Amino acid sequence: MSETTPRAASPDELDVPGATPPTEPDPTAAATATPTSEPDLTTGPDPPAEDDAPASTATGEQPGTTEDTGELAAVFRMPPPLPDSPEVSPDGARVAYLLPDAAGAWHLWLSPLDGGEATEIALPFSPIPDRDPDSGRTLRGPQWSPDGRTIALTGSHPDGNPLRTAVWLVPVPPLATPEVASESVDEPAMAVAGEPPASGEPADNDDMETAPAAGATELLAGERYEEPAAIAEAGDIPADDAEAVAVMASELETGTATPEPDVPVLTAPAPLSDHPTASDRSPRWSPDGMLIAFVRRLDGRDVIALASPEGGLPVAAELLTWSASHDREPSWSRDGLFLAFTRQRLEDAEHNDILVFVLATGEIRNLTGEKTSAIRHSLDWVPGRNLIAYVTMENEWLSVAVINSDNKAGWTVTREAGDKIDPRFAPGEARLVYIRTEGFSSVVCERGLHASGATVLDPGEGVGRFPRWVADKRALYGFSAAQRPFGFLVQDNTADAERTAVELPGVAPAMGRDFRRPTVFEFEVGPDAQFSGLLYRTEGTSGKVPGIVYLTDGPLATRRAGFQPA
């Protein structure tokens, strides 16, 4: 039996004179079959997908030029690969992700969330997606430092050994800001020594240089800092400590402040840590940016390690765990006091326990060791609470649950039908986004921790993936449909919010194109088997018409309604 796969229909533009005809016969109806007997519980990428092209926003223009048809044909001939897991910068201005080229080599890209042009970051190593080594499940994307200046990610090892990986730190170039034309302002007349100023005030010839502006502190080196934030930064003190800021301002002004020691500034990509035989991956920044937790494979087992990115790189790492099982998926609490991770159960490689490392005492707590063995992964802390969210199996569906790191109490958050995966909580609010499968579709959901239901954010009838928070009230996610190439979208956390497309590199433009929208249908293929598929039909036709059933080699598996030129 062959696997069945949804296939993108020929666009309406191909019926326009001058458009490039398809390479295979153009049927008036095409059926693609997909089995529905097996749920798809993986989070791996769908078949190669295109950039976002909201076909529903047609311009009404009929392309007839060679350039137009060439761009359109490129959408179906050479679809760009699907990006890996994206991660939004702390300031919400950019998204970082890995994208493979035509040869399958991964590259690091940054895309502004305002729709600007994507930028590739040149690397002296080959970046590697963060995946679970047993299931291939996508974990996290490139990790931003809390100040947004550095990205940590997994890459090839500097020694060139293909069996080893390393955690790399990559400096991030500042976001380019558009130049704003400055308006001409009449400058006040400069006072000249020995002459009174134009205002009639007597001149102070003892100090005819420009004086420090109000609200600024002049340093001995001639630098000026706006108060109080810059003064606090210069003295490495809390900005909300008014008394300490005032003392530091006085010391800076009088030149009695003790200069801070020089801290090495990362100017080029460098490995975080090194070990003669170990392999490192899955870096996670602490909330204050002072530590990085990561997974180190040593002597055939995965352990959690800790290193400080401060100082010259590479640095020595400290092992936090060492057990007979694999420890993976480190996740910091929002206050940085706890580090959660998963530990594989010996009796079942697909089942994990959730443990917490207490930084203040070095204690390790097993939160689920006395509970029934179960699937547990995709850890994420709830803001303002000692609760850890994770994905587990509940009533034959993958669901999102939480567990208290203090008393081990917990409950299931999502109880609706369908598999729920990839939960992410907002930066400062107990609200989460996640993916829920619904037949052919995978929808992007948003809800409060204690809400009775969820709001669907995506346009619908497609495949959503990679839900991420941009801010407390805005979300980013990837989306594609059978007639809509893949792309990232940004919107407020309401169903009817306006969506902004994020530019992806190397994508053939398809904005304003109308693609035929399929309908879902089901049919029997045997006494106990039923297939479902997507039907593409030309409007106005009736009765029996020629069609195509697209079958690919491989085992039966549920396919989603994502864009797949083939």
Side-chain angles (χ1 to χ4, degrees):
M1 183 84 55
S2 298
E3 179 192 31
T4 58
T5 307
R7 181 176 182 272
S10 301
D12 289 342
E13 287 87 345
L14 294 183
D15 297 330
V16 178
T20 304
T23 57
E24 56 185 314
D26 184 15
T28 55
T32 63
T34 299
T36 58
S37 57
E38 299 182 22
D40 181 8
L41 304 184
T42 66
T43 59
D46 281 343
E50 277 290 340
D51 186 15
D52 179 72
S56 58
T57 58
T59 62
E61 298 178 0
Q62 297 295 335
T65 64
T66 303
E67 181 179 358
D68 281 341
T69 56
E71 291 178 353
L72 184 59
V75 175
F76 289 86
R77 184 175 62 249
M78 284 296 294
L82 187 72
D84 200 63
S85 177
E87 301 294 342
V88 179
S89 61
D91 60 3
R94 289 182 285 185
V95 59
Y97 53 92
L98 298 182
L99 185 72
D101 58 22
W106 294 91
H107 301 266
L108 176 61
W109 287 85
L110 304 180
S111 287
L113 297 188
D114 60 3
E117 183 178 357
T119 302
E120 181 182 4
I121 305 300
L123 302 174
F125 61 94
S126 298
I128 299 173
D130 193 7
R131 304 280 174 84
D132 180 80
D134 292 329
S135 66
R137 175 174 50 86
T138 298
L139 300 180
R140 301 255 171 165
Q143 296 291 290
W144 294 84
S145 62
D147 61 10
R149 299 178 181 178
T150 309
I151 285 178
L153 72 164
T154 306
S156 55
H157 198 275
D159 66 5
N161 186 340
L163 301 179
R164 299 182 66 193
T165 58
V167 171
W168 289 80
L169 302 186
V170 179
V172 179
L175 182 64
T177 55
E179 296 184 1
V180 180
S182 59
E183 299 180 0
S184 60
V185 179
D186 294 334
E187 298 290 340
M190 180 72 72
V192 180
E195 296 184 10
S199 62
E201 296 291 335
D204 185 2
N205 293 329
D206 292 335
D207 185 11
M208 295 306 299
E209 301 295 333
T210 55
T217 299
E218 185 174 17
L219 305 185
L220 297 180
E223 299 181 59
R224 290 173 184 165
Y225 290 90
E226 296 296 328
E227 298 181 9
I231 295 176
E233 182 177 358
D236 193 22
I237 56 177
D240 57 357
D241 190 338
E243 182 177 354
V245 170
V247 172
M248 178 57 62
S250 175
E251 292 178 350
L252 290 172
E253 187 173 1
T254 59
T256 59
T258 302
E260 292 293 322
D262 292 335
V263 177
V265 177
L266 186 66
T267 59
L272 170 66
S273 183
D274 196 12
H275 185 279
T277 60
S279 186
D280 300 337
R281 68 179 193 274
S282 302
R284 305 289 185 267
W285 292 87
S286 63
D288 60 5
M290 301 299 292
L291 296 171
I292 295 179
F294 59 95
V295 176
R296 166 163 285 181
R297 190 166 188 82
L298 187 62
D299 295 337
R301 71 184 70 182
D302 290 340
V303 299
I304 305 299
L306 203 63
S308 172
E310 300 294 329
L313 299 177
V315 297
E318 176 185 357
L319 298 186
L320 298 187
T321 68
W322 185 265
S323 71
S325 301
H326 294 306
D327 296 335
R328 296 167 178 166
E329 292 193 58
S331 178
W332 290 94
S333 62
R334 303 302 173 107
D335 56 12
L337 299 180
F338 304 95
L339 181 67
F341 58 94
T342 63
R343 173 167 292 173
Q344 192 177 68
R345 287 218 172 186
L346 294 175
E347 65 271 19
D348 194 331
E350 294 184 355
H351 290 189
N352 298 290
D353 283 321
I354 299 175
L355 291 85
V356 169
F357 178 85
V358 184
L359 268 70
T361 63
E363 175 191 3
I364 294 181
R365 305 171 184 166
N366 191 332
L367 305 182
T368 60
E370 299 177 357
K371 300 181 182 293
T372 303
S373 180
I375 293 174
R376 299 183 183 97
H377 59 70
S378 304
L379 309 185
D380 196 45
W381 288 78
V382 180
R385 306 279 296 276
N386 284 347
L387 295 175
I388 304 169
Y390 61 98
V391 171
T392 188
M393 187 67 71
E394 179 78 18
N395 296 328
E396 300 183 355
W397 297 110
L398 289 175
S399 300
V400 179
V402 294
I403 189 168
N404 191 300
S405 62
D406 294 327
N407 58 23
K408 305 180 183 180
W411 69 92
T412 302
V413 178
T414 58
R415 295 188 179 276
E416 65 267 35
D419 290 318
K420 283 78 64 179
I421 58 174
D422 205 2
R424 294 290 185 97
F425 273 85
E429 188 177 358
R431 305 194 66 86
L432 72 154
V433 289
Y434 57 95
I435 297 295
R436 183 180 70 222
T437 59
E438 294 182 348
F440 268 98
S441 301
S442 296
V443 299
V444 179
C445 298
E446 190 272 351
R447 66 183 295 155
L449 178 63
H450 300 287
S452 59
T455 299
V456 175
L457 300 182
D458 63 72
E461 298 184 10
V463 177
R465 59 176 68 247
F466 306 139
R468 305 290 183 260
W469 288 96
V470 177
D472 284 341
K473 300 297 182 181
R474 289 179 63 78
L476 171 140
Y477 56 90
F479 183 80
S480 69
Q483 78 290 351
R484 179 174 182 153
F486 179 88
F488 290 134
L489 299 176
V490 179
Q491 68 175 83
D492 291 339
N493 63 334
T494 56
D496 57 351
E498 180 181 355
R499 301 178 179 95
T500 301
V502 178
E503 181 175 328
L504 295 178
V507 174
M511 298 294 288
R513 307 287 187 175
D514 272 329
F515 298 94
R516 292 176 186 168
R517 181 182 294 274
T519 58
V520 178
F521 74 103
E522 295 181 343
F523 59 96
E524 293 184 359
V525 294
D528 299 318
Q530 188 176 50
F531 274 21
S532 60
L534 300 177
L535 174 65
Y536 298 86
R537 182 186 297 274
T538 301
E539 293 184 6
T541 61
S542 61
K544 294 182 178 181
V545 293
I548 293 177
V549 175
Y550 181 61
L551 301 174
T552 59
D553 294 332
L556 293 176
T558 301
R559 308 295 292 187
R560 303 301 173 198
F563 188 84
Q564 186 197 1

